[in-house]
Amino acid sequence: MSIYGKSFSYNGKSSADFNAVLCSFDSNDVMKETSIKFVTNKGEITPNRDIANFYNKAYTDPLKFSVGLCKCHGESFSLTERDEIISWLTSPQNYSLFTVEDFEDAEPYHKDIEYFALCTSCKEFYPDGYIRGLAFEFECSAPYGFTPEETTSFVSTAAQPASFVLQNTSHELSNLYYPLITMTATATGEITITNDRIPDKPFTIELRSGQTVTIDNQLGDITDNLGLFKLSTDTNRQWLALLPGKNIISVKGEASGKITCRYIRKVGI
């Protein structure tokens, strides 16, 4: 059922804020599906419970999409070309970077959106006894795409702590984002990383001079080049998190490193 009206309000905003009105569309032919779908997890409705217990909202599946290839001017693929294309797309054994290049005269719909995908099937299109097209199915590592990798470098000394801004542009406005940090200590001692938006939860870590650590805040894992780091004693495990929007990060202690981010994009394919 479609809902008609002037506007609607949801989650503290009105559709009028975007100069949008309620409507329906005459044909689905011009609709573009994002392939991003959700499901609500909730309990049963019973005679004594007419409002079901709500637990959470979750994605139904990783993002999946189809890719069709044909040659210009209706030419057919040779067997050699077919073999080379199928080998190229089906050989990766793990999720690999997938990007789409828009035509120069088209609106840049796929601009700055990247995917990590794996080919799961392939088909050949034989309308007249010749290979006129190849079709492939891809499955992504996540239910959405990402921005290109963004890297911010920093150098912190005892005399001058580092301070810089990370702009979390993720389309996920309800969840925190956890970046990847690679850091090398230039002296033995404690390093403290704080987000001004969450000042009561600084991340601290004890490092030795020359020790390089990779801090995967999302997975809650830390590895180091010397094999001396102990997760149970050398950190407080207050993982660095970013809220949507502007986050001012400060680093105290003697270290240099970089913070790597890929923010969620729920549009694209």
Side-chain angles (χ1 to χ4, degrees):
M1 180 184 72
S2 297
I3 299 176
Y4 300 91
K6 182 178 179 181
S7 63
F8 70 95
S9 296
Y10 177 71
N11 196 26
K13 285 185 177 294
S14 170
S15 60
D17 296 341
F18 303 94
N19 195 29
V21 297
L22 287 166
C23 67
S24 65
F25 300 94
D26 292 336
S27 172
N28 288 327
D29 295 340
V30 295
M31 301 292 286
K32 187 180 190 307
E33 191 172 340
T34 65
S35 300
I36 297 175
K37 295 181 175 63
F38 303 90
V39 63
T40 56
N41 297 316
K42 54 191 177 183
E44 297 292 332
I45 293 178
T46 69
N48 298 319
R49 185 188 298 119
D50 54 1
I51 299 178
N53 291 330
F54 175 77
Y55 302 116
N56 53 41
K57 181 183 77 171
Y59 295 98
T60 58
D61 229 348
L63 184 63
K64 299 177 182 178
F65 56 86
S66 302
V67 171
L69 295 177
C70 64
K71 297 190 72 173
C72 297
H73 311 299
E75 298 175 3
S76 63
F77 289 101
S78 69
L79 295 180
T80 299
E81 290 171 329
R82 176 202 62 182
D83 293 349
E84 289 177 350
I85 293 173
I86 290 177
S87 177
W88 159 47
L89 294 177
T90 63
S91 288
Q93 298 299 305
N94 207 340
Y95 297 104
S96 299
L97 185 64
F98 185 103
T99 60
V100 179
E101 299 173 2
D102 289 300
F103 291 107
E104 292 183 1
D105 58 347
E107 184 178 358
Y109 189 83
H110 300 282
K111 180 177 172 59
D112 295 334
I113 305 175
E114 299 181 345
Y115 309 88
F116 289 90
L118 192 64
C119 183
T120 56
S121 72
C122 59
K123 297 178 182 178
E124 300 173 15
F125 181 52
Y126 268 99
D128 55 3
Y130 295 93
I131 307 173
R132 300 294 181 181
L134 297 169
F136 301 87
E137 296 293 329
F138 283 84
E139 178 176 301
C140 293
S141 61
Y144 36 71
F146 300 89
T147 63
E149 187 174 273
E150 300 179 16
T151 300
T152 302
S153 300
F154 64 87
V155 176
S156 174
T157 66
Q160 188 172 359
S163 180
F164 49 91
V165 173
L166 294 179
Q167 191 74 29
N168 178 3
T169 62
S170 172
H171 286 175
E172 181 52 76
L173 302 180
S174 299
N175 294 329
L176 301 174
Y177 175 78
Y178 293 89
L180 183 72
I181 303 174
T182 302
M183 181 169 57
T184 300
T186 53
T188 298
E190 183 179 87
I191 310 297
T192 301
I193 305 177
T194 306
N195 183 348
D196 75 318
R197 303 273 300 278
I198 319 175
D200 58 332
K201 292 185 177 182
F203 170 83
T204 63
I205 187 170
E206 292 281 346
L207 296 179
R208 299 163 178 81
S209 180
Q211 188 176 19
T212 298
V213 292
T214 299
I215 305 166
D216 191 326
N217 290 281
Q218 182 174 9
L219 296 179
D221 183 49
I222 301 176
T223 57
D224 79 302
N225 62 327
L226 302 179
L228 300 175
F229 178 80
K230 295 181 180 179
L231 188 63
S232 59
T233 59
D234 292 346
T235 178
N236 65 348
R237 290 186 283 184
Q238 289 284 2
W239 306 105
L240 178 66
L242 305 180
L243 276 71
K246 181 180 179 180
N247 298 259
I248 300 177
I249 308 301
S250 62
V251 182
K252 294 181 180 179
E254 299 189 59
S256 62
K258 62 180 182 179
I259 297 182
T260 304
C261 303
R262 280 186 180 275
Y263 299 115
I264 293 172
R265 285 291 178 268
K266 297 182 182 180
V267 295
I269 287 182

